[in-house]
Amino acid sequence: MKLKSLILSAIILSASLAGNCKPKETITVTGSETMHVMLQMIGLEYSRKKSGTQVVVNGGGSIEGIEKLFQGKTDIAAASRPLTEKELKEFDSRGKFESLAVAYDGIAIIVNPSNPVRKISLETASKIFSGEISDWSKIGGKAGKIQVVIRNDKSGTAAYFETHVLKQKDLGAKNYEARKNVEYSSNAKIVSDNDTMAAEIDSNPNAIGFMGMGSALFENKGRVRALEYSLSGKEPHVVPSIENVYNRTYELSRGLYLFYLSDHGQKIDDFITYVTSEDGQKTILKSGYLRGSLPTVEVEVKK
């Protein structure tokens, strides 16, 4: 059974056992699909530690979370990218808000496990996702039309990937200026979440897509395979992993954020304190992401 199913079962069981208790205080977190399972795990642990509080985690994508926060329909927005200038102005018009990088994640470029291609560079990925390269035989694979699979426009991962890979921002200003009008392939299949993305890749040997590293290596292990990645193609190709994101050898990575309004109240303060605590950060590591804060170090003072 997948990790997400196990977590959902645990949440349902916890709710049923508490059915006869007094109503629980609820904290709602909405947004990033990349962060979904990570936040479910944190929420479940927090609910166990803080009796009387339930954390409800909704997906929908980074934009969905930010919009729901603007509308007062969620307590916390989860996003796999920083706020845009437009969003910053929107928050400023509503008063003060808080922004917290709770974890770091690599983006994995994924293929069907049977695909013989093992490595990819940024430029090659850009040309595949734009449709300029349309057959696997062009990059050392078996002959077959490449099926590009992308996330919808509410996805923070898709927005990051579009800017940094498709439009080649990570290769410098000159490349980005030359490709700023490049779009995803017109034949790309658009999906709404990581589960659907994994299903598409798993069912099609010629498909290629992308998702957060934690989703690829943990939640969907066996259904997809992450390609080794090189920025220019000249330096070594590196597999996405917590260690390689941490030591910056895997260069396709970004922060994962929580946003919330400053007048949020004590229950949000308590939850955020837990997320950034040693217990919360250990749960982030267990879910396949790099912690957002340094570990607590105990220093023994010799007398």
Side-chain angles (χ1 to χ4, degrees):
M1 187 181 293
K2 294 193 304 175
L3 179 60
K4 183 178 286 186
S5 298
L6 288 171
I7 293 169
L8 183 58
S9 297
I11 292 171
I12 293 171
L13 178 60
S14 297
S16 64
L17 291 174
N20 295 322
C21 300
K22 65 179 182 179
K24 288 191 173 187
E25 184 173 56
T26 300
I27 298 170
T28 306
V29 187
T30 306
S32 171
E33 289 289 334
T34 294
M35 300 168 69
H36 196 89
V37 168
M38 176 185 79
L39 291 170
Q40 282 185 319
M41 291 176 69
I42 290 173
L44 185 59
E45 290 294 327
Y46 184 73
S47 296
R48 286 172 176 166
K49 291 178 181 291
K50 191 173 179 64
S51 178
T53 300
Q54 180 181 10
V55 180
V56 177
V57 181
N58 301 312
S62 297
I63 291 179
E64 180 79 3
I66 293 167
E67 288 178 347
K68 286 288 191 292
L69 187 60
F70 288 159
Q71 297 163 5
K73 295 180 179 179
T74 191
D75 296 308
I76 301 171
S80 56
R81 59 165 177 79
L83 294 172
T84 64
E85 288 297 322
K86 181 179 178 181
E87 289 164 349
L88 282 168
K89 290 178 181 177
E90 179 73 19
F91 271 121
D92 286 339
S93 71
R94 294 168 182 265
K96 293 183 179 180
F97 71 96
E98 306 293 335
S99 172
L100 178 67
V102 295
Y104 292 89
D105 179 34
I107 296 177
I109 299 174
I110 54 172
V111 295
N112 185 283
S114 68
N115 194 318
V117 174
R118 298 281 167 175
K119 302 176 180 179
I120 198 166
S121 69
L122 185 152
E123 183 178 4
T124 299
S126 173
K127 290 183 177 180
I128 287 174
F129 280 88
S130 68
E132 295 165 76
I133 296 175
S134 58
D135 197 285
W136 285 109
S137 62
K138 300 295 183 181
I139 59 168
K142 295 179 181 178
K145 186 176 180 180
I146 298 173
Q147 175 60 64
V148 171
V149 186
I150 61 174
R151 289 286 307 283
N152 62 21
D153 60 7
K154 289 185 177 293
S155 165
T157 303
Y160 186 95
F161 193 89
E162 180 179 2
T163 298
H164 292 263
V165 177
L166 182 70
K167 299 182 186 296
Q168 300 186 9
K169 185 174 183 179
D170 284 358
L171 291 181
K174 184 177 180 181
N175 287 63
Y176 183 58
E177 183 64 26
R179 293 182 65 83
K180 65 182 181 181
N181 294 320
V182 171
E183 303 289 342
Y184 282 119
S185 168
S186 59
N187 295 319
K189 184 169 289 188
I190 302 172
V191 298
S192 60
D193 54 46
N194 287 331
D195 280 346
T196 311
M197 171 76 75
E200 290 289 342
I201 302 295
D202 187 31
S203 65
N204 186 348
N206 290 323
I208 187 170
F210 55 81
M211 63 174 56
M213 180 183 74
S215 296
L217 302 185
F218 291 81
E219 298 162 40
N220 293 294
K221 185 178 180 180
R223 303 175 76 195
V224 304
R225 177 167 51 78
L227 295 176
E228 297 175 23
Y229 179 78
S230 172
L231 194 63
S232 69
K234 296 177 181 178
E235 69 274 357
H237 289 72
V238 178
V239 66
S241 69
I242 292 174
E243 180 182 1
N244 291 336
V245 170
Y246 178 79
N247 63 29
R248 299 296 187 265
T249 56
Y250 188 78
E251 299 188 75
L252 188 53
S253 60
R254 47 42 194 294
L256 304 178
Y257 301 88
L258 295 180
F259 304 118
Y260 49 100
L261 300 178
S262 298
D263 58 353
H264 46 264
Q266 190 61 45
K267 69 174 183 178
I268 307 302
D269 271 340
D270 292 344
F271 178 68
I272 294 298
T273 297
Y274 178 76
V275 173
T276 57
S277 72
E278 190 65 15
D279 286 344
Q281 291 291 297
K282 283 181 179 178
T283 301
I284 285 171
L285 279 173
K286 288 178 186 177
S287 64
Y289 299 93
L290 182 64
R291 57 188 296 154
S293 63
L294 293 174
T296 301
V297 178
E298 295 184 0
V299 180
E300 182 180 351
V301 179
K302 292 184 178 180
K303 296 182 179 180

